[in-house]
Amino acid sequence: MPGADGEVEVLVVGGGPVGLTARALLDRWGVRVLLVERHPEPSPFPRARLVNVRSMEIFRRLGLAAEITADAFAPEYGRIRFRDTVQDHDFATAAMAGIDAPVPESPVTGVITSQDRLEPVLLAGATSPARFGVELTDLAEADGGVVALLTGPRPGERTRLRARYVLAADGAPTSPPASTSPRTACSRRCTRKAAGPGSSPRRATPGPPAGLPSSHAPSAAAYRPRSYGSSTGR
């Protein structure tokens, strides 16, 4: 790859919460940083809803915690609800740790907010350049760093940038492989106590409930874990 058109100390690839937070931190530490994001603007979709205590501690150091909290949802939106099926009533609820009340080890609490609310605050929390609509299309090692080929934002526009470090914050790919989140389908033989996340239906008491004929007992298929979609990054 030919020589570079410019130079920074750190190139951050990805304009989600991780990349934007890294840019803000590096900016505060006096590091010359450039963030590039292939999408033309911050995400307009809600996506993730939880900002945990440790993240809020970092945002507090950046002076952004109060603004993030002011635009967050009420804590009750962060409760976990347990049901046998989607149509049933809740048989248990639980609050996320550090959301409904402070934890003694921290001066802050976590918040329930969404990515479309969080990212604009993080973007405004630093003065280092952030270029949207720009994609990293090639990367080659060079003496003491790398040379990155950036494409966009205008069609056919290309820029070569030398950086000492590249921080990949563009998330996991959306095509396989991806992680899945299995859930156990609870039958009438599962107890309320065992029906939470990670419960094992194999420990259910054998036999149908009292008063239920054996011919109506749930089949073995009711106890197999089921997958309800996948979890991937940006």
Side-chain angles (χ1 to χ4, degrees):
M1 184 184 292
D5 304 316
E7 185 174 349
V8 295
E9 292 181 79
V10 179
L11 172 65
V12 177
V13 181
V18 174
L20 291 170
T21 300
R23 165 180 168 265
L25 288 170
L26 291 167
D27 186 78
R28 298 297 175 94
W29 296 333
V31 178
R32 288 185 299 115
V33 56
L34 169 68
L35 180 145
V36 295
E37 165 57 51
R38 65 185 181 90
H39 292 94
E41 61 184 7
S43 173
F45 304 109
R47 301 195 181 188
R49 302 292 290 272
L50 170 65
V51 180
N52 62 28
V53 172
R54 179 58 187 142
S55 295
M56 288 301 293
E57 290 174 344
I58 295 172
F59 297 150
R60 178 174 177 263
R61 294 292 300 270
L62 290 170
L64 304 176
E67 186 176 356
I68 292 171
T69 301
D71 200 30
F73 299 103
E76 54 264 30
Y77 286 95
R79 295 192 67 84
I80 302 171
R81 303 165 69 180
F82 300 97
R83 297 180 176 186
D84 287 336
T85 68
V86 174
Q87 294 84 6
D88 287 335
H89 295 292
D90 300 344
F91 63 79
T93 65
M96 294 182 180
I99 300 298
D100 61 328
V103 294
E105 297 83 6
S106 180
V108 300
T109 58
V111 299
I112 301 298
T113 191
S114 51
Q115 227 169 295
D116 58 322
R117 298 185 180 205
L118 176 63
E119 289 182 0
V121 177
L122 299 179
L123 180 61
T127 58
S128 295
R131 299 181 62 193
F132 287 81
V134 175
E135 184 175 6
L136 174 66
T137 53
D138 198 5
L139 192 67
E141 291 188 15
D143 294 337
V146 299
V147 175
L149 177 62
L150 307 177
T151 303
R154 291 182 291 272
E157 181 179 2
R158 294 186 174 186
T159 304
R160 289 177 175 85
L161 182 74
R162 180 181 293 273
R164 291 186 61 193
Y165 302 97
V166 175
L167 195 160
D170 50 346
T174 56
S175 59
S179 62
T180 59
S181 179
R183 295 292 183 266
T184 298
C186 183
S187 78
R188 286 168 289 183
R189 287 199 288 178
C190 291
T191 64
R192 297 293 190 185
K193 182 178 180 180
S199 63
S200 174
R202 290 174 295 179
R203 296 184 180 181
T205 303
L212 183 67
S214 57
S215 60
H216 290 82
S219 67
Y223 300 102
R224 294 172 186 158
R226 299 180 183 177
S227 175
Y228 290 90
S230 64
S231 175
T232 59
R234 179 180 175 83

